[in-house]
Amino acid sequence: MSARNPGMNLDLEWVSKVRVNTQAVLRRAKQIQGHKIPKKQWQAAWLLKAVACIDLTTLAGDDTASNVHRLCLKAIQPVRPDLLKNMDMQDKGVTTAAVCVYPARVADAVASLRAAGSSLPVASVATGFPAGQTPLETRLQEVRLAVADGAGEIDVVINRTLALTGRWEAMYEEIRQFREACGDAHMKTILAVGELDTFTNVYKASLVAMMAGSDFIKTSTGKEAVNATYPVAIVMVRAIRDYYRCSGYTVGFKPAGGIRTAQDSLIWLTLIKEELGDVWLRPHLFRLGASSLLADIERQIYHHVTGRYAAYHELPLA
């Protein structure tokens, strides 16, 4: 991870002055999507980079210890060994960035990873995920319990009501308390951008979350009607860039929700490279929150190696 973002005092003057040019954002997002994506071995290399940035996630109501165990094994070995060997990548330690689960499944994930001799971090959603509408003390206790069970990363959700009503001081204070409850665990703050109404609100929420000490800002829970989109990402990463220029601290970015194809992952990598630069193209500053993305990436790598697409039974379940 990057050097811990210590946060800063809430700069309400900066927040109040924010105005986002919607048309310029939409034009830039369209431009990013229109870029040519790399081909052949260059595409395969970028896809492996995407794999290394995935928070491999299961957030289902029917999660059990067994499917979390399977997810952990897939995170440790996300691409079939024979495919990696063909690409001369078998000794490069290719894994996903983390495993992401509900708080009740953190202990299961930690146990599975330890049993396999892996140091991959476990990320846990918390603070009344996905709505964030439970009492503050309940949300804080959920963070503490997940950390006690071994979570090294906590994905908190903001109280959208505070953002929508412009109560930025109250939102700052809640996130600051989440930061304290995280202790040594890194904190990713989910903005639930599909419920913030405007790009200006997204930018303001991004700033407030970073000022309160977030190590990452994350687009979505994956449970909203609208999740990670390229225009919203442009707004968030430019807030990250502005915060870095002001504070000197790098804050990570995590799009999540609806990222399902290898092509999607390549566009996200392109966006980060162009907007924030190569420094951010590493797991300590960029994550892809996804549950089904890895399966398509592995299928594309299989095609690169063999010249044909795999049948579903030929690749281990992601």
Side-chain angles (χ1 to χ4, degrees):
M1 283 284 189
S2 60
R4 175 68 54 79
N5 170 29
M8 56 191 285
N9 292 330
L10 178 62
D11 187 342
L12 274 176
E13 184 179 359
W14 184 3
V15 174
S16 67
K17 287 180 178 178
V18 168
R19 298 291 183 275
V20 176
N21 183 331
T22 297
Q23 291 308 310
V25 169
L26 294 175
R27 280 196 304 272
R28 177 60 175 146
K30 189 173 181 180
Q31 185 183 39
I32 292 281
Q33 290 172 264
H35 284 344
K36 290 182 179 179
I37 61 172
K39 300 294 184 183
K40 299 183 178 178
Q41 68 266 36
W42 295 280
Q43 181 178 116
W46 274 73
L47 289 176
L48 287 179
K49 180 175 280 290
V51 168
C53 293
I54 290 175
D55 281 356
L56 194 59
T57 302
T58 182
L59 296 171
D62 59 356
D63 282 341
T64 62
S66 61
N67 80 295
V68 167
H69 178 66
R70 187 185 74 179
L71 190 82
C72 290
L73 295 181
K74 187 64 179 176
I76 294 167
Q77 192 173 89
V79 180
R80 247 175 47 178
D82 60 309
L83 301 178
L84 290 176
K85 187 173 182 180
N86 184 280
M87 300 165 70
D88 199 25
M89 293 293 291
Q90 70 273 20
D91 300 321
K92 303 300 183 184
V94 176
T95 67
T96 67
V99 171
C100 184
V101 295
Y102 275 120
R105 300 267 72 91
V106 168
D108 295 332
V110 169
S112 291
L113 291 168
R114 283 180 180 165
S118 172
S119 60
L120 272 187
V122 174
S124 176
V125 297
T127 66
F129 180 96
Q133 292 285 359
T134 51
L136 178 59
E137 188 50 46
T138 304
R139 285 179 277 152
L140 289 167
Q141 186 64 2
E142 193 175 33
V143 173
R144 296 184 193 112
L145 289 170
V147 172
D149 278 346
E153 302 176 5
I154 303 292
D155 290 26
V156 304
V157 293
I158 68 165
N159 181 339
R160 274 78 98 190
T161 301
L162 299 179
L164 291 168
T165 55
R167 295 165 61 195
W168 302 113
E169 288 176 273
M171 182 177 141
Y172 171 89
E173 182 56 26
E174 284 199 355
I175 298 172
R176 190 193 62 75
Q177 290 186 57
F178 296 158
R179 168 71 273 163
E180 285 186 4
C182 283
D184 291 333
H186 281 76
M187 184 174 78
K188 309 188 199 92
T189 300
I190 307 170
L191 304 185
V193 292
E195 296 178 350
L196 292 186
D197 286 350
T198 67
F199 288 153
T200 297
N201 275 345
V202 169
Y203 190 105
K204 289 181 176 183
S206 299
L207 276 186
V208 171
M210 291 187 286
M211 290 173 180
S214 302
D215 298 298
F216 268 71
I217 52 175
K218 175 178 170 182
T219 61
S220 320
T221 67
K223 308 295 186 182
E224 295 88 48
V226 177
N227 294 289
T229 67
Y230 303 118
V232 158
I234 297 291
V235 174
M236 291 176 68
V237 298
R238 291 191 176 182
I240 287 172
R241 195 166 68 192
D242 291 344
Y243 182 82
Y244 171 68
R245 286 172 176 167
C246 178
S247 71
Y249 282 92
T250 53
V251 173
F253 176 66
K254 178 178 174 180
I259 304 171
R260 296 186 177 90
T261 69
Q263 172 106 358
D264 289 340
S265 70
L266 295 173
I267 296 173
W268 282 109
L269 289 170
T270 300
L271 187 154
I272 296 303
K273 181 178 175 65
E274 293 210 352
E275 288 289 324
L276 291 174
D278 290 342
V279 170
W280 263 264
L281 278 178
R282 288 178 281 180
H284 70 283
L285 286 173
F286 178 62
R287 299 288 179 85
L288 290 159
S291 54
S292 59
L293 171 63
L294 179 55
D296 192 59
I297 290 179
E298 190 176 17
R299 196 162 174 261
Q300 296 301 326
I301 290 172
Y302 183 98
H303 180 268
H304 167 72
V305 170
T306 68
R308 62 183 180 85
Y309 284 106
Y312 283 102
H313 67 271
E314 293 182 281
L315 296 174
L317 291 175

